[in-house]
Short mmCIF file of all heavy atoms in Angstrom, two decimals:
data_model
loop_
_atom_site.label_atom_id
_atom_site.label_comp_id
_atom_site.label_asym_id
_atom_site.label_seq_id
_atom_site.Cartn_x
_atom_site.Cartn_y
_atom_site.Cartn_z
N PHE A 61 151.05 73.71 12.14
CA PHE A 61 149.73 74.05 12.68
C PHE A 61 148.87 74.72 11.62
O PHE A 61 149.37 75.19 10.57
CB PHE A 61 149.89 75.04 13.89
CG PHE A 61 150.44 76.41 13.53
CD1 PHE A 61 149.55 77.49 13.44
CD2 PHE A 61 151.77 76.60 13.32
CE1 PHE A 61 150.06 78.78 13.11
CE2 PHE A 61 152.25 77.87 13.02
CZ PHE A 61 151.41 78.99 12.94
N ASP A 62 147.54 74.75 11.84
CA ASP A 62 146.64 75.36 10.90
C ASP A 62 146.47 76.88 11.19
O ASP A 62 145.73 77.20 12.19
CB ASP A 62 145.29 74.65 10.95
CG ASP A 62 144.34 75.18 9.89
OD1 ASP A 62 144.72 76.07 9.14
OD2 ASP A 62 143.24 74.65 9.77
N SER A 63 147.12 77.66 10.43
CA SER A 63 147.10 79.12 10.72
C SER A 63 145.91 79.77 10.02
O SER A 63 145.59 80.96 10.27
CB SER A 63 148.43 79.75 10.22
OG SER A 63 148.43 79.73 8.83
N GLY A 64 145.30 79.04 9.08
CA GLY A 64 144.16 79.63 8.36
C GLY A 64 144.59 80.50 7.23
O GLY A 64 143.82 81.18 6.58
N CYS A 65 145.91 80.61 6.93
CA CYS A 65 146.38 81.56 5.90
C CYS A 65 146.38 80.94 4.47
O CYS A 65 146.54 81.66 3.50
CB CYS A 65 147.78 82.01 6.22
SG CYS A 65 149.08 80.77 6.06
N GLY A 66 146.20 79.59 4.38
CA GLY A 66 146.16 78.95 3.03
C GLY A 66 147.45 78.33 2.59
O GLY A 66 147.51 77.84 1.50
N TRP A 67 148.51 78.44 3.44
CA TRP A 67 149.79 77.77 3.13
C TRP A 67 150.20 76.96 4.34
O TRP A 67 149.79 77.26 5.45
CB TRP A 67 150.86 78.83 2.85
CG TRP A 67 150.63 79.60 1.59
CD1 TRP A 67 151.00 79.19 0.33
CD2 TRP A 67 150.03 80.91 1.44
NE1 TRP A 67 150.66 80.15 -0.61
CE2 TRP A 67 150.03 81.21 0.09
CE3 TRP A 67 149.42 81.76 2.30
CZ2 TRP A 67 149.52 82.40 -0.45
CZ3 TRP A 67 148.90 82.97 1.83
CH2 TRP A 67 148.95 83.27 0.47
N PRO A 68 151.00 75.92 4.13
CA PRO A 68 151.55 75.16 5.28
C PRO A 68 152.29 76.11 6.22
O PRO A 68 153.07 76.93 5.81
CB PRO A 68 152.50 74.19 4.66
CG PRO A 68 152.03 74.03 3.22
CD PRO A 68 151.51 75.38 2.88
N SER A 69 151.96 76.00 7.53
CA SER A 69 152.56 76.90 8.52
C SER A 69 153.22 76.08 9.61
O SER A 69 152.67 75.08 10.08
CB SER A 69 151.50 77.81 9.13
OG SER A 69 150.96 78.66 8.16
N PHE A 70 154.37 76.56 10.04
CA PHE A 70 155.16 75.92 11.10
C PHE A 70 155.59 76.94 12.12
O PHE A 70 155.75 78.11 11.76
CB PHE A 70 156.42 75.26 10.53
CG PHE A 70 156.09 74.30 9.43
CD1 PHE A 70 155.93 74.72 8.12
CD2 PHE A 70 156.00 72.93 9.68
CE1 PHE A 70 155.66 73.85 7.07
CE2 PHE A 70 155.72 72.00 8.62
CZ PHE A 70 155.55 72.53 7.37
N TYR A 71 155.78 76.61 13.37
CA TYR A 71 156.24 77.55 14.38
C TYR A 71 157.73 77.47 14.68
O TYR A 71 158.28 78.30 15.38
CB TYR A 71 155.44 77.54 15.68
CG TYR A 71 155.43 76.22 16.41
CD1 TYR A 71 156.55 75.99 17.25
CD2 TYR A 71 154.41 75.35 16.46
CE1 TYR A 71 156.61 74.78 18.00
CE2 TYR A 71 154.47 74.19 17.13
CZ TYR A 71 155.57 73.91 17.93
OH TYR A 71 155.55 72.71 18.64
N ALA A 72 158.44 76.51 14.09
CA ALA A 72 159.83 76.37 14.29
C ALA A 72 160.47 75.55 13.15
O ALA A 72 159.81 74.66 12.60
CB ALA A 72 160.14 75.64 15.63
N ARG A 91 158.73 92.47 4.64
CA ARG A 91 158.57 91.11 5.19
C ARG A 91 159.90 90.48 5.37
O ARG A 91 160.93 90.96 4.90
CB ARG A 91 157.71 90.29 4.21
CG ARG A 91 156.36 90.84 3.96
CD ARG A 91 155.53 89.97 3.02
NE ARG A 91 156.13 90.02 1.64
CZ ARG A 91 155.68 89.30 0.61
NH1 ARG A 91 154.67 88.47 0.81
NH2 ARG A 91 156.28 89.41 -0.54
N THR A 92 159.89 89.26 5.96
CA THR A 92 161.06 88.45 6.12
C THR A 92 160.96 87.20 5.26
O THR A 92 160.11 86.38 5.52
CB THR A 92 161.30 88.10 7.59
OG1 THR A 92 161.38 89.29 8.37
CG2 THR A 92 162.62 87.32 7.73
N HIS A 105 157.70 83.04 3.72
CA HIS A 105 157.98 84.16 4.63
C HIS A 105 157.71 83.70 6.08
O HIS A 105 156.96 82.78 6.36
CB HIS A 105 157.20 85.39 4.28
CG HIS A 105 157.50 85.93 2.99
ND1 HIS A 105 156.94 85.50 1.83
CD2 HIS A 105 158.36 86.98 2.63
CE1 HIS A 105 157.48 86.20 0.80
NE2 HIS A 105 158.36 87.09 1.24
N VAL A 106 158.32 84.45 7.00
CA VAL A 106 158.07 84.20 8.39
C VAL A 106 157.47 85.47 9.07
O VAL A 106 157.88 86.55 8.74
CB VAL A 106 159.36 83.73 9.21
CG1 VAL A 106 160.43 84.79 9.16
CG2 VAL A 106 159.03 83.30 10.61
N PHE A 107 156.48 85.26 9.89
CA PHE A 107 155.72 86.33 10.56
C PHE A 107 155.75 86.14 12.04
O PHE A 107 155.98 85.03 12.50
CB PHE A 107 154.35 86.46 10.08
CG PHE A 107 154.27 86.59 8.56
CD1 PHE A 107 154.11 85.47 7.77
CD2 PHE A 107 154.31 87.84 7.98
CE1 PHE A 107 154.05 85.65 6.34
CE2 PHE A 107 154.28 88.02 6.59
CZ PHE A 107 154.16 86.85 5.79
N ASP A 108 155.58 87.20 12.85
CA ASP A 108 155.61 87.05 14.32
C ASP A 108 154.25 86.93 14.95
O ASP A 108 153.99 87.44 16.00
CB ASP A 108 156.42 88.20 14.89
CG ASP A 108 155.81 89.58 14.61
OD1 ASP A 108 154.77 89.65 14.00
OD2 ASP A 108 156.38 90.57 15.07
N ASP A 109 153.33 86.26 14.25
CA ASP A 109 152.00 86.06 14.73
C ASP A 109 151.61 84.62 14.97
O ASP A 109 150.48 84.23 14.89
CB ASP A 109 150.96 86.74 13.85
CG ASP A 109 150.96 86.20 12.41
OD1 ASP A 109 151.76 85.29 12.16
OD2 ASP A 109 150.14 86.67 11.60
N GLY A 110 152.61 83.82 15.21
CA GLY A 110 152.39 82.35 15.42
C GLY A 110 152.16 81.97 16.87
O GLY A 110 152.19 82.84 17.74
N PRO A 111 151.97 80.71 17.09
CA PRO A 111 151.64 80.22 18.47
C PRO A 111 152.89 80.08 19.33
O PRO A 111 154.03 80.16 18.84
CB PRO A 111 151.00 78.85 18.18
CG PRO A 111 151.68 78.36 16.94
CD PRO A 111 151.90 79.59 16.10
N ALA A 112 152.67 79.84 20.62
CA ALA A 112 153.76 79.50 21.52
C ALA A 112 154.36 78.14 21.05
O ALA A 112 153.61 77.34 20.45
CB ALA A 112 153.20 79.43 22.91
N PRO A 113 155.50 77.83 21.37
CA PRO A 113 156.39 78.58 22.18
C PRO A 113 157.26 79.64 21.46
O PRO A 113 157.90 80.47 22.15
CB PRO A 113 157.36 77.50 22.71
CG PRO A 113 157.42 76.48 21.55
CD PRO A 113 156.07 76.50 20.91
N THR A 114 157.26 79.75 20.14
CA THR A 114 158.16 80.70 19.46
C THR A 114 157.46 82.00 19.07
O THR A 114 158.10 82.98 18.90
CB THR A 114 158.72 80.07 18.16
OG1 THR A 114 157.60 79.82 17.27
CG2 THR A 114 159.47 78.75 18.46
N GLY A 115 156.14 81.94 18.86
CA GLY A 115 155.43 83.13 18.39
C GLY A 115 155.63 83.36 16.89
O GLY A 115 155.22 84.39 16.39
N LEU A 116 156.26 82.41 16.23
CA LEU A 116 156.52 82.60 14.79
C LEU A 116 155.60 81.79 13.95
O LEU A 116 155.02 80.70 14.38
CB LEU A 116 157.95 82.14 14.48
CG LEU A 116 159.10 82.86 15.20
CD1 LEU A 116 160.41 82.24 14.92
CD2 LEU A 116 159.10 84.34 14.77
N ARG A 117 155.36 82.24 12.68
CA ARG A 117 154.55 81.55 11.69
C ARG A 117 155.37 81.49 10.41
O ARG A 117 155.47 82.45 9.65
CB ARG A 117 153.23 82.19 11.47
CG ARG A 117 152.46 81.59 10.30
CD ARG A 117 151.04 82.15 10.18
NE ARG A 117 151.00 83.59 10.06
CZ ARG A 117 150.91 84.25 8.90
NH1 ARG A 117 150.81 83.59 7.73
NH2 ARG A 117 150.89 85.59 8.93
N TYR A 118 156.01 80.34 10.17
CA TYR A 118 156.70 80.14 8.88
C TYR A 118 155.66 79.70 7.88
O TYR A 118 155.10 78.61 7.96
CB TYR A 118 157.76 79.05 9.03
CG TYR A 118 158.96 79.46 9.87
CD1 TYR A 118 159.01 79.19 11.24
CD2 TYR A 118 160.02 80.07 9.29
CE1 TYR A 118 160.12 79.54 12.01
CE2 TYR A 118 161.14 80.46 10.07
CZ TYR A 118 161.15 80.20 11.39
OH TYR A 118 162.24 80.58 12.12
N CYS A 119 155.35 80.57 6.97
CA CYS A 119 154.33 80.44 5.97
C CYS A 119 155.02 79.98 4.69
O CYS A 119 155.61 80.76 4.01
CB CYS A 119 153.58 81.76 5.83
SG CYS A 119 152.18 81.72 4.73
N MET A 120 154.87 78.69 4.33
CA MET A 120 155.72 78.08 3.32
C MET A 120 154.84 77.69 2.08
O MET A 120 153.65 77.35 2.16
CB MET A 120 156.42 76.88 3.80
CG MET A 120 157.31 77.11 5.06
SD MET A 120 158.77 78.02 4.69
CE MET A 120 158.29 79.68 5.27
#
Side-chain angles (χ1 to χ4, degrees):
F61 68 100
D62 185 359
S63 69
C65 70
W67 292 276
S69 297
F70 305 85
Y71 63 78
R91 301 180 290 175
T92 303
H105 293 87
V106 63
F107 304 94
D108 61 1
D109 60 0
T114 65
L116 299 174
R117 174 173 54 98
Y118 289 93
C119 186
M120 304 291 100

